[in-house]
Amino acid sequence: MGKAKAYKPKTQQHNRPAHRAREEDNQHGSRDEDVLKRNEDDSQDYCQAVVMDPLKGLSLRMWDFAQCDPKRCTGARLVKRGIFQRMNLKQSFRGIVLSPQATVSVSPADAKILEESGMSLIDCSWARLAEIPFKQMQAGHHRLLPFMVAANTVNYGRPSKLSCAEACAATLYICNKKDAAKAVLSEFSWGEEFVKLNEEVLDLYASCSDSADVVDKQNDWLSNAEAQVEQDHDRPDDLPPSDDDLESDEYESEPELDSFGNTIVKGGAAASVHESK
């Protein structure tokens, strides 16, 4: 005899009419309109997330000569965060190279180079520039930065003594990539201060047409700033009277007494003496 098959109860299948199924689906929120709206919302969220990364597609490099304190080095921090990439001297590079040896100022005209080939910085100490082999870094488009003041904790307020992060952000800003510039600076507590200190000149440089225009606008701004300082220095200060002035006024208002304590009243050329009581 064969083995008896295990009994499996048959599940009762219910075939819902089409109109009944649509009604029940609508009650559970699976209408076509809801599906489309949900997909549109997801698409918008995704696109917004992409737009919120202003550094996407930008190639930011640096040559690291290990002259700075790694705890204070802004370039090293940006490498650690994945914003910068280190590059060796023999590596070919066709982008913007920020170098103190350059003779051309960075300008909005460099935006195309920045977008297509990126930017590289020289991470070194301002006090040890003589040790940098600039002759080995001839590739790329070398650029200088116009006048700005530093906001980093090492050189705060000093003109042109910018850190790697500040130099990178300034170049991005001048090339009309302000969101990217602020994204770089957001990695540092003093980042917003750099924009506040230099916003006027940064906007001025970003409005220029080329390098020559940047230099002209920079020189005009510096001349006006120096003239304003001299004007403020020559302007008399509206200060309250000193204690000495107040004391002299008090002494003048007090009556003059003779050796006997009598008040001496002066009137015209003659002076009369009144006996004090």
Side-chain angles (χ1 to χ4, degrees), residues 60-87 119-126 152 154 162-169 184-185 187-188 190:
L60 305 178
R61 311 287 187 89
M62 79 171 191
W63 287 292
D64 189 356
F65 290 93
Q67 293 181 347
C68 305
D69 181 354
K71 294 182 179 179
R72 295 183 177 182
C73 181
T74 62
R77 177 183 291 190
L78 292 174
V79 168
K80 187 176 181 180
R81 300 293 175 86
I83 297 175
F84 278 8
Q85 289 181 326
R86 286 190 173 92
M87 186 169 57
M119 165 177 48
S120 182
L121 299 94
I122 301 173
D123 188 10
C124 62
S125 171
W126 283 102
N152 64 78
V154 177
L162 306 187
S163 64
C164 283
E166 290 169 315
C168 175
V184 171
L185 293 171
E187 299 290 334
F188 306 91
W190 42 261

Side-chain angles (χ1 to χ4, degrees), residues 213-229:
D213 194 17
V214 169
V215 174
D216 289 341
K217 295 286 179 59
Q218 168 198 255
N219 294 339
D220 290 343
W221 188 91
L222 289 173
S223 297
N224 293 334
E226 291 175 359
Q228 185 64 43
V229 170

Side-chain angles (χ1 to χ4, degrees), residues 9 39 140-141 157 182 185:
N39 290 333
H141 303 267
K182 293 178 180 179
L185 293 171

Side-chain angles (χ1 to χ4, degrees), residues 39-53 56:
N39 290 333
E40 288 176 357
D41 293 342
D42 292 342
S43 176
Q44 291 175 358
D45 293 341
Y46 175 77
C47 293
Q48 185 177 7
V50 173
V51 172
M52 288 177 63
D53 184 9
K56 185 177 179 63

